[in-house]
Amino acid sequence: MASKTAKIATIGCAIAGCLTFIVGIPFAYLGSITRVYYGPDSARASFETDSCHIGLGLPTCARWLPDQDGFLKYLTNEVPSFLGTWCLIGIVASSMSTCDGAILAMGTVFSHNILRNAGYFFPYISQDFIEEENLITVARIISVPFTIASAVIATLYRSSHSLGATGYLLIVAFDIVLASVVVPLFGCFYTKKPSSLAAFCSIVTGILARVILEFTLPKDGYLLMPFDGHEFLDYGAAASTAFPTFFDVPTERHWDPSVEGEQCEQSRYNDWTGIDSLAAPIVALIVFVFVQWLERDKPFFTFAKDGIMGETKLFHCLYHFYLEDANKSFCFVLR
């Protein structure tokens, strides 16, 4: 948008892509290097004793405890100060950019798409409450409570997830975007007469499906589904003081997991992370196709090109409830 010609825009995109590779590839290797310095084979590794694992054939062993702050320790203690400082600055800068863009997007969408149409759903609000002249001012004012709410959530939210509290919230935010807007975006280009109502319903359905699945699917943080096999079992408490079967000791001193009281009680990993990310867009697609089919003859709602809701074909508002004095029954008023 800022380029004068299409050629300049193409060159700029190509340069930006090359710079992304130059900056992104070294950062991608930082996780592997951190594991070298703070992984299970390093001198700084810490372990939980008195554990067992049937898949390893160990009645008692030490379970490695990953250091959640290993990456920050690597940048501040192992690499040169100059590089570590700039890496931390880059992380902070990218975080601020992401937060800034999300807050501005929420303020703009809420003021332009919701508040401007509030008068059509709530009769006591004037339909001229927000106009082109004050739209930017309203968006700026709305951004203030969104900023405060974001700061409060980032400060108070706690999570035991391996990606951290705020890091996992960022992943959920991107998942909600995937679940809500990808289907309407493709439907806009690959449908002859795209339905605005179908897009709206798919957005709402995708968001609800992603949020519901977030709280209903089991997630233990290990990112492993409960498949069969010993490799999908978590560590258990120490089962026996006997030796593993591969030790060169008399057979009677070997560990026998079939003996009562010497079983290694292990729970199976149970993390369905990713199913919610994939299922929500599928649900949104089904809703989009269904509503698009319902409106194959004529739309139920019309939307103006500027985003302001026009006159309704079926409902003027969602609904108005009122109690009739004659029979004391609830009725719908459809306009």
Side-chain angles (χ1 to χ4, degrees):
M1 294 177 64
S3 303
K4 294 182 179 180
T5 63
K7 183 178 180 180
I8 296 177
T10 303
I11 296 174
C13 291
I15 295 175
C18 294
L19 291 177
T20 301
F21 277 106
I22 295 174
V23 176
I25 291 177
F27 265 95
Y29 280 100
L30 286 179
S32 301
I33 300 174
T34 303
R35 186 176 176 88
V36 173
Y37 282 88
Y38 293 92
D41 298 326
S42 66
R44 304 172 182 84
S46 59
F47 297 88
E48 176 186 352
T49 58
D50 297 333
S51 57
C52 69
H53 200 292
I54 187 66
L56 301 176
L58 297 174
T60 179
C61 60
R63 175 184 184 179
W64 174 54
L65 300 177
D67 190 351
Q68 301 295 334
D69 300 325
F71 180 68
L72 295 178
K73 292 179 180 179
Y74 171 74
L75 291 180
T76 54
N77 298 324
E78 306 300 335
V79 303
S81 301
F82 176 79
L83 294 178
T85 301
W86 276 107
C87 287
L88 294 175
I89 291 175
I91 294 173
V92 174
S94 61
S95 301
M96 293 180 63
S97 173
T98 304
C99 295
D100 175 68
I103 292 173
L104 290 177
M106 288 189 294
T108 302
V109 171
F110 187 80
S111 59
H112 183 81
N113 295 351
I114 297 180
L115 291 183
R116 294 186 76 180
N117 292 311
Y120 290 90
F121 292 92
F122 303 98
Y124 53 84
I125 298 179
S126 174
Q127 296 183 4
D128 299 330
F129 173 64
I130 297 179
E131 298 179 343
E132 293 292 338
E133 292 76 13
N134 62 351
L135 180 60
I136 296 179
T137 302
V138 173
R140 292 172 178 173
I141 295 175
I142 291 298
S143 298
V144 175
F146 281 124
T147 303
I148 296 175
S150 301
V152 172
I153 293 174
T155 303
L156 300 181
Y157 182 75
R158 295 291 182 268
S159 174
S160 59
H161 197 275
S162 58
L163 298 176
T166 54
Y168 184 69
L169 288 179
L170 181 63
I171 294 177
V172 173
F174 284 127
D175 272 359
I176 291 177
V177 173
L178 172 65
S180 59
V181 301
V182 170
V183 170
L185 181 62
F186 278 88
C188 175
F189 288 99
Y190 295 100
T191 306
K192 293 182 179 180
K193 294 181 179 180
S195 167
S196 301
L197 181 61
F200 176 77
C201 292
S202 67
I203 290 173
V204 174
T205 305
I207 294 175
L208 291 177
R210 180 62 182 86
V211 173
I212 292 174
L213 292 176
E214 171 65 26
F215 294 100
T216 55
L217 291 179
K219 299 179 181 181
D220 56 18
Y222 290 103
L223 305 179
L224 291 172
M225 296 181 65
F227 295 111
D228 294 332
H230 296 321
E231 62 270 22
F232 298 101
L233 291 173
D234 195 4
Y235 286 86
S240 173
T241 58
F243 291 96
T245 55
F246 53 81
F247 270 45
D248 188 14
V249 295
T251 306
E252 60 272 10
R253 300 181 64 183
H254 283 167
W255 174 46
D256 186 0
S258 62
V259 176
E260 183 68 25
E262 292 195 357
Q263 293 89 354
C264 182
E265 301 293 339
Q266 299 175 252
S267 61
R268 193 167 296 276
Y269 292 117
N270 191 18
D271 195 326
W272 294 78
T273 299
I275 300 298
D276 43 12
S277 303
L278 299 176
I282 295 176
V283 175
L285 176 62
I286 295 174
V287 172
F288 181 87
V289 173
F290 178 70
V291 178
Q292 181 75 28
W293 178 80
L294 290 178
E295 291 192 328
R296 62 190 182 280
D297 296 327
K298 61 179 180 179
F300 295 153
F301 288 90
T302 57
F303 296 85
K305 293 182 179 180
D306 58 358
I308 305 299
M309 184 175 292
E311 289 299 325
T312 323
K313 299 289 176 141
L314 180 61
F315 300 104
H316 179 71
C317 302
L318 285 178
Y319 58 84
H320 288 286
F321 278 119
Y322 74 95
L323 187 64
E324 290 185 344
D325 294 332
N327 53 13
K328 302 297 181 180
S329 62
F330 286 100
C331 299
F332 286 103
V333 176
L334 307 180
R335 300 182 181 181

